[in-house]
Amino acid sequence: MEEKQILEGRQGEVLDSKRAEVSSTSKKLYIESYGCQMNFSDSEVVAAIMSKKGYNTTRNIDDADVVLINTCSIRDNAEKRVRNRLTEFKKKKSDNPDMVVGILGCMAERLKKSLLEQEKLVDLVAGPDAYRDLPNLIDEVGTGQRAVNVLLSRDETYADISPVRLDKGGVSAFVTIMRGCDNMCSFCVVPFTRGRERSRDPQTIVQECTELFNNGYREVTLLGQNVDSYRWNITNKGEIKDPNLPTVNFAQLMEMVAKVSPELRVRFSTSHPKDMTDDVLHAMAKYENLCNYIHLPVQSGNSDVLKRMNRGYSREWYLQRIEAIHKIIPDCAISTDVISGFCGETEAEHKDTLSLMDAVKYDFAYMFKYSERPKTLAERKFEDDIPDEVKSNRLSEIIDKQLKFSLASNQKRIGLVEKVLIEGESKRSNEHMCGRTSRNSMVVFPKGNGKKGQYVNVKITDCTSATLIGKEIN
Ligand code: SAH
Ligand code: SF4
Ligand code: F3S
């Protein structure tokens, strides 16, 4: 149960589905998203592509002409959840045979036509780089065919598409800055489902952030699987592509976005320990609106395991990166991802993960049991030899430790005044508001003068391991 709570809202097969809403008399699209923030962001691109073809989104599946499910393959249970959902959709379709059911995202890319042909669960399959083709694919289904496009692209970034925000009246939005991943972490399916890494034109990113700001948004999260390797007009060998155009790296991009407005908070996800440069940290230190929060997935605290994971850094390197963060941005919150029970993990190697957590004292962590994924390097090279019970026990030890650090991290804020961006009413009580600090901590406080989308000062008076509790002050 605890794992669920902690995983909520992250690369999360757990509790992450979200339904779209915009209604109209025209054709209706229902879209449900699972997985990481990138998938939620992609669903907004899909809604934009479909709206050009006359589809408005609906929150009621029974009204829909087209039902799309944007899926995740990161762990086996992520796929199981989607399969259950598809079986439910199949029942709906038997009552309404004209309804088109399509699968998008990473599971579509991984399983390709088998979902159509062998399993007959859907009418349409579109991979992450094929969304511009959705209107054609839907037409094909209309002519009685089963439609598939799972081509991966080297240059598609949907840069020109202005996403339809599915979270209406929002304060915070995702902005995709790059797609795909060129790292080959041995446990990870993403390079197979998302293809090669490519960066989006920085001008279109700044433009999208400016539009969001003008529409009342006050926070953007720049998304990529490895944002530190963002590069524009530079090849992966470091050569300049067009000498007449400027080059842009991630630190420079962050500055460009920071300058949209000092009132616009900027976050990003995900940093990679092997690529995160001091430049990025210096940019964060320089601009108040570049939030003091870094998600730096460690995966394991043991250098041999990290080697088997093909992560490209050692325990020592990782700890040096943590030191650099503390030095350059003294009040920066740090979170991580940890995997328990990777192939061949000994008890001593697991203990190294625990001791690394003791050394870093993360403010927050997402913690997972290793789940073998087809075609990955680990599947081909190593045996998934840690018994499930051992994986679970190790995960519990990791979670127990993290809960203590999360609580301690929040307790340290008691007595401080935090600048909070109000996201809206608290989910648990309509007499309270909630919002986040620069360090990404959720704060709940009784309603005062502050409205959704405004910054207020909140004096922290109490906390749990997940939430700060306080009182608005002038
Ligand atoms: N590109 C990002 C996100 C990758 S997926 C990054 O590098 O951090 C998010 C997290 O899921 C990973 O950090 C990892 O902790 C976890 N994960 C990925 N594959 C997994 C697998 N096969 N089993 C268990 N956890 C996995
Ligand atoms: Fe997967 Fe590694 Fe790429 Fe992250 S950096 S998406 S873990 S291959
Ligand atoms: Fe899942 Fe694909 Fe994201 S596998 S975590 S939805 S990139």
Side-chain angles (χ1 to χ4, degrees):
M1 203 50 220
E2 242 139 43
E3 188 191 2
K4 263 197 182 178
Q5 272 175 6
I6 287 167
L7 298 185
E8 187 175 354
R10 169 71 178 154
Q11 325 285 359
E13 66 276 19
V14 185
L15 300 179
D16 245 356
S17 68
K18 190 182 210 175
R19 282 141 202 147
E21 180 181 40
V22 179
S23 59
S24 146
T25 51
S26 62
K27 289 181 285 185
K28 294 221 169 66
L29 164 70
Y30 174 91
I31 183 162
E32 206 169 283
S33 309
Y34 294 82
C36 63
Q37 297 165 334
M38 189 77 80
N39 255 14
F40 285 90
S41 174
D42 281 0
S43 291
E44 301 189 325
V45 167
V46 167
I49 291 168
M50 294 291 286
S51 83
K52 283 213 178 110
K53 293 286 160 186
Y55 284 87
N56 284 318
T57 46
T58 171
R59 206 173 256 233
N60 182 356
I61 188 167
D62 296 315
D63 277 355
D65 303 288
V66 174
V67 171
L68 298 175
I69 180 162
N70 198 354
T71 62
C72 175
S73 288
I74 201 83
R75 285 168 288 275
D76 187 47
N77 50 5
E79 291 202 355
K80 284 205 177 106
R81 187 166 287 258
V82 168
R83 278 180 192 283
N84 290 341
R85 204 60 188 131
L86 284 175
T87 316
E88 286 166 30
F89 291 171
K90 207 172 169 180
K91 281 188 211 128
K92 296 233 176 260
K93 199 173 155 79
S94 59
D95 298 336
N96 177 8
D98 289 337
M99 183 173 99
V100 175
V101 177
I103 180 166
L104 315 177
C106 291
M107 210 174 146
E109 190 63 48
R110 196 180 82 70
L111 295 167
K112 304 188 166 55
K113 329 192 260 219
S114 80
L115 289 163
L116 271 176
E117 291 174 355
Q118 286 143 35
E119 307 190 47
K120 299 204 181 346
L121 279 169
V122 292
D123 308 303
L124 175 163
V125 179
D129 289 342
Y131 298 149
R132 286 184 204 267
D133 199 25
L134 273 170
N136 301 331
L137 294 170
I138 289 165
D139 289 346
E140 275 178 34
V141 174
T143 62
Q145 303 168 63
R146 286 174 186 266
V148 185
N149 186 343
V150 286
L151 289 175
L152 286 171
S153 158
R154 278 185 170 254
D155 47 26
E156 177 64 273
T157 59
Y158 301 110
D160 56 310
I161 294 178
S162 181
V164 168
R165 302 292 162 188
L166 298 175
D167 179 13
K168 282 182 76 190
V171 174
S172 180
F174 297 130
V175 176
T176 299
I177 62 163
M178 57 202 296
R179 301 181 70 83
C181 184
D182 279 355
N183 294 316
M184 275 284 177
C185 302
S186 63
F187 51 80
C188 185
V189 77
V190 172
F192 303 93
T193 62
R194 294 255 163 191
R196 298 305 298 269
E197 180 188 290
R198 65 222 97 122
S199 296
R200 176 178 171 190
D201 181 338
Q203 293 306 334
T204 68
I205 296 169
V206 171
Q207 192 187 335
E208 187 175 329
C209 294
T210 308
E211 278 166 18
L212 283 164
F213 183 76
N214 291 339
N215 287 329
Y217 284 79
R218 289 295 173 266
E219 182 177 86
V220 291
T221 304
L222 308 180
L223 295 181
Q225 295 300 344
N226 178 3
V227 289
D228 301 292
S229 66
Y230 176 89
R231 54 172 173 261
W232 183 250
N233 196 26
I234 316 170
T235 67
N236 54 8
K237 295 196 183 85
E239 292 147 1
I240 295 174
K241 287 189 195 162
D242 181 345
N244 299 315
L245 292 174
T247 60
V248 182
N249 64 23
F250 183 57
Q252 292 162 329
L253 178 73
M254 288 222 295
E255 293 213 29
M256 289 164 72
V257 178
K259 285 181 190 155
V260 167
S261 165
E263 293 287 296
L264 182 71
R265 275 187 174 172
V266 184
R267 301 184 185 278
F268 54 92
S269 190
T270 306
S271 303
H272 197 300
K274 80 176 163 59
D275 296 320
M276 191 187 66
T277 62
D278 286 358
D279 281 8
V280 170
L281 303 177
H282 286 298
M284 290 172 73
K286 184 167 156 196
Y287 292 89
E288 200 249 346
N289 58 331
L290 294 182
C291 290
N292 282 358
Y293 171 62
I294 296 181
H295 182 63
L296 197 65
V298 66
Q299 317 298 0
S300 165
N302 176 276
S303 295
D304 292 333
V305 175
L306 289 169
K307 201 163 208 169
R308 296 203 290 281
M309 288 178 164
N310 202 28
R311 286 287 287 178
Y313 56 87
S314 62
R315 175 187 173 105
E316 291 68 34
W317 171 277
Y318 184 90
L319 289 171
Q320 277 169 8
R321 293 286 74 212
I322 296 288
E323 244 176 66
I325 297 173
H326 289 318
K327 208 169 111 206
I328 300 170
I329 319 165
D331 194 31
C332 189
I334 305 175
S335 65
T336 199
D337 292 347
V338 183
I339 297 177
S340 78
F342 184 64
C343 309
E345 186 186 66
T346 63
E347 196 54 34
E349 288 170 339
H350 163 62
K351 290 270 173 346
D352 281 347
T353 296
L354 297 175
S355 76
L356 179 126
M357 293 173 74
D358 285 330
V360 180
K361 302 186 176 59
Y362 292 105
D363 298 281
F364 194 80
Y366 302 91
M367 297 155 278
F368 312 102
K369 265 199 288 192
Y370 174 59
S371 164
E372 185 177 76
R373 308 311 294 132
K375 288 197 187 153
T376 54
L377 280 176
E379 191 241 10
R380 285 181 278 147
K381 249 171 95 178
F382 307 121
E383 202 185 327
D384 180 14
D385 55 354
I386 308 301
D388 192 60
E389 199 191 328
V390 177
K391 285 182 184 169
S392 297
N393 289 341
R394 289 182 185 169
L395 182 64
S396 305
E397 286 179 31
I398 290 167
I399 291 174
D400 288 349
K401 188 172 279 296
Q402 183 51 44
L403 283 176
K404 288 188 192 125
F405 286 129
S406 295
L407 180 63
S409 158
N410 279 349
Q411 281 169 338
K412 278 201 210 145
R413 311 308 288 186
I414 294 176
L416 299 180
V417 174
E418 300 271 11
K419 182 176 169 186
V420 173
L421 172 60
I422 303 182
E423 292 179 4
E425 270 183 10
S426 154
K427 281 192 194 109
R428 295 212 179 129
S429 143
N430 57 13
E431 284 162 22
H432 289 75
M433 301 300 266
C434 69
R436 280 175 199 277
T437 66
S438 173
R439 290 165 46 89
N440 205 35
S441 302
M442 180 54 85
V443 185
V444 174
F445 54 98
K447 275 185 180 167
N449 296 325
K451 305 265 174 321
K452 183 171 166 177
Q454 290 179 344
Y455 293 98
V456 286
N457 288 324
V458 177
K459 174 136 189 190
I460 306 304
T461 53
D462 200 358
C463 73
T464 66
S465 66
T467 315
L468 298 174
I469 298 153
K471 198 166 170 265
E472 188 181 321
I473 55 168
N474 291 324

